[in-house]
Amino acid sequence: MTSSPLRGRPGRPRAPVRVRLALAAAGALVGAGWLALPVMTAGGGDPVPAAPAGPVAGRAEPRQDETSATDFVLPVAVLGAAGVLAGYGYLRRTRRARTRTTPGVVPAAPPVPTTAESERQARAALVLADDCVRGSREELSCVEELSGAAAVEPFTHALRAAETELSAAFAMWRRYEEGVPAEAAARRQALVGVVGRCAEAGRRLDAEAAELDRLRGLELEVTPALELAEARFRELAARTAAADVTAAGLRERYAPSAGAPVTGYVEQAKDRLVFATERLNEARRAADAGEPARAARQLRAAEGGVSQAGVLVAAVERLAVRLREAAGLVPAALTGAEAEIATVRKEGGPASLAGGELWARLAHADAALAGVRAELTGGPYDPLDALRRITRAVERLGAGRSGVLAAAALLVSGGTVDAAEDFVAVHRGAVGAPARARLAQAVRALGSGTEADVLAGQARELAEQDVRAHGNPFADGHSSGLTGAVLGGVLLAEEPDGGPPASFGGPRTRSRRHLP
């Protein structure tokens, strides 16, 4: 089928609307003048000689109902003026409609965000969704302890679904950071996918928030939940004192690097408990005064503070256990590593390692093991770091994927992942998307050698950088407990007093604005 020969011909340019309107108005004026021309010339001198004066018998008197030409002048003039005013009014309305910014007028082609803007949106969506998941997990643990696992099953299901969506979003973001996909259009679509997954995670939580509120019934009766929070507070206060002794023992028994992951955690736990004390007292006063809504808000803030104090104390306790396990595993790991190295030296390593590269790695492994043996007899050392060096040295030879070395690698990587997770959890008010995404990747890599250990270490380093750069916007005029609560994301930092507490829910419901 052939196209018309006129289809490809460039069209004649059309004049702008305002020009066409001006020409139309001018035409109307010219037409009006043309119609009025006979009337304007009717008053001139008659070229025919005048008749002699005197009465004429046959002259007829003009009739009173005869229409004169002057009667057309005013209507025509009004018509022309009306045309001009109508054209001017249309032009004004068109101009206002084109520049209007009020709702209801959708631009024909919304601006396409730049790559940098799309990346900022994706990072913000990841942080918001991760905060919603973490805050929901905190409150749900309190509800489950009071109401039982069966009662919170729908909310647990929603939380797991949100965690799945968030994990997929983090995986997409990490691939994007690594340059996959490479095509520009596919990369834009990947960012859209990240935002979409985060939005779905939030939607899952938002959908169940109102039902969780009904289950808790805090605005009707806050006393049972308040009593549970006070009991958890007392239990955490005792554990914090014990954790202080444990942390001091780590400093005495091991090298400084062994206790570094939990440095300052006991003090931070005490800080969260100070905040929880204030909020529990406020909740109790509000409940006694018959103000359950205000009591519910103060209680939720206290629950968040107690939960984070528990994270900090548990981190100290867990590290002490892992260091003891690592210290007991180091001798066996050394023996297993020496056997693996001997096998590689005898039979050769993987095909990818040949010649000088293999011998260089063998020499490095020998030196690593010798260094660990020297530390064992030289005084306090870091057992987890010793296992880390042993397993990494053997893994570079393509060996050590089973037996005691695999168990050692899992102990080390699990400890590093837990340490990074704890740090992000209690500093989420400052930690950005890169650290969270690296942590999520480390969790996915658990059980696959030393990769998880490396990724979790990077996540912890990025998170610490974020906290140092964040500063303390609540340093002046506020208690130290409030500062820690904002830094930990217990309060959402939306108001001068720290804002509402984070609750179960997505972006739409997590602040519980219905609570005063």
Side-chain angles (χ1 to χ4, degrees):
M1 180 178 179
T2 59
S3 60
S4 170
L6 298 178
R7 183 170 299 174
R9 183 180 301 172
R12 180 178 299 173
R14 300 181 63 184
V17 175
R18 64 183 64 184
V19 174
R20 295 200 301 270
L21 290 174
L23 292 175
L29 289 176
V30 171
W34 179 262
L35 290 175
L37 182 60
V39 178
M40 290 185 292
T41 59
D46 192 346
V48 180
V56 179
R59 186 175 182 179
E61 294 294 329
R63 292 175 299 179
Q64 297 298 320
D65 59 345
E66 183 177 350
T67 302
S68 173
T70 58
D71 295 338
F72 290 99
V73 176
L74 183 59
V76 170
V78 170
L79 178 63
V84 173
L85 292 175
Y88 178 73
Y90 175 81
L91 183 60
R92 288 285 303 273
R93 287 194 300 273
T94 303
R95 186 178 302 167
R96 284 199 304 269
R98 189 177 296 125
T99 59
R100 183 181 297 168
T101 58
T102 55
V105 179
V106 180
V112 177
T114 65
T115 300
E117 291 171 343
S118 297
E119 290 175 352
R120 283 194 295 271
Q121 292 173 1
R123 286 193 294 267
L126 287 167
V127 170
L128 178 58
D130 192 44
D131 282 348
C132 290
V133 166
R134 292 177 182 276
S136 298
R137 191 184 297 132
E138 284 181 358
E139 182 173 14
L140 193 59
S141 67
C142 300
V143 181
E144 182 175 357
E145 188 172 350
L146 185 63
S147 303
V152 300
E153 180 58 31
F155 314 110
T156 302
H157 178 75
L159 178 59
R160 289 172 181 166
E163 290 171 342
T164 299
E165 295 290 344
L166 180 60
S167 177
F170 275 128
M172 294 173 67
W173 174 256
R174 282 296 295 141
R175 288 195 297 271
Y176 179 89
E177 286 185 316
E178 294 167 355
V180 179
E183 299 80 7
R187 288 179 67 78
R188 287 194 297 270
Q189 191 60 34
L191 293 175
V192 172
V194 170
V195 175
R197 290 278 192 171
C198 293
E200 178 61 17
R203 188 195 66 79
R204 296 273 189 152
L205 298 172
D206 279 331
E208 300 294 336
E211 190 61 34
L212 184 74
D213 285 347
R214 282 191 286 271
L215 174 64
R216 300 203 74 181
L218 295 181
E219 295 184 54
L220 300 176
E221 179 55 68
V222 75
T223 302
L226 181 56
E227 291 176 349
L228 175 62
E230 290 170 341
R232 295 181 72 180
F233 171 86
R234 290 190 293 270
E235 184 258 339
L236 254 299
R239 285 176 58 195
T240 301
D244 202 357
V245 176
T246 301
L250 297 181
R251 292 190 293 270
E252 295 173 0
R253 189 175 302 114
Y254 303 107
S257 61
V262 296
T263 299
Y265 274 23
V266 173
E267 289 73 19
Q268 292 184 50
K270 294 177 181 178
D271 182 80
R272 298 297 196 278
L273 290 177
V274 168
F275 170 79
T277 300
E278 297 172 352
R279 296 308 173 108
L280 285 172
N281 291 337
E282 287 291 333
R284 177 62 70 182
R285 283 193 289 267
D288 293 342
E291 302 176 25
R294 187 166 68 90
R297 173 168 173 161
Q298 299 300 324
L299 170 64
R300 181 65 208 111
E303 289 175 340
V306 171
S307 294
Q308 290 206 355
V311 170
L312 293 160
V313 170
V316 176
E317 297 169 342
R318 191 170 51 243
L319 179 60
V321 172
R322 277 206 170 93
L323 286 170
R324 286 197 299 270
E325 292 178 358
L329 196 57
V330 167
L334 279 171
T335 302
E338 288 171 345
E340 293 282 354
I341 292 171
T343 300
V344 172
R345 185 174 280 113
K346 179 181 178 180
E347 300 177 359
S352 58
L353 297 178
E357 177 66 20
L358 175 60
W359 292 109
R361 294 194 179 189
L362 284 169
H364 175 270
D366 289 337
L369 267 59
V372 171
R373 287 195 178 278
E375 289 180 359
L376 291 179
T377 59
Y381 72 106
D382 183 346
L384 283 171
D385 184 62
L387 288 180
R388 177 179 292 110
R389 284 180 285 155
I390 293 170
T391 54
R392 288 188 181 183
V394 175
E395 189 177 59
R396 294 181 73 236
L397 299 173
R401 293 188 173 89
S402 61
V404 66
L405 292 175
L410 184 59
L411 179 64
V412 171
S413 58
T416 311
V417 169
D418 284 345
E421 170 65 30
D422 293 337
F423 187 88
V424 172
V426 299
H427 298 89
R428 65 174 185 257
V431 177
R436 300 177 193 234
R438 204 68 57 93
L439 175 58
Q441 186 180 10
V443 172
R444 294 192 300 271
L446 271 174
S448 59
T450 63
E451 180 185 6
D453 178 51
V454 174
L455 290 168
Q458 294 171 352
R460 174 70 181 261
E461 183 178 354
L462 290 170
E464 289 177 350
Q465 291 174 5
D466 289 338
V467 172
R468 288 194 294 269
H470 179 73
N472 179 15
F474 290 87
D476 298 329
H478 296 285
S479 66
S480 59
L482 178 64
T483 300
V486 171
L487 181 63
V490 175
L491 300 180
L492 298 180
E494 297 175 357
E495 298 170 1
D497 66 346
S503 302
F504 184 101
R508 185 173 55 85
T509 59
R510 68 173 185 146
S511 65
R512 294 298 197 278
R513 284 297 179 183
H514 63 279
L515 298 178

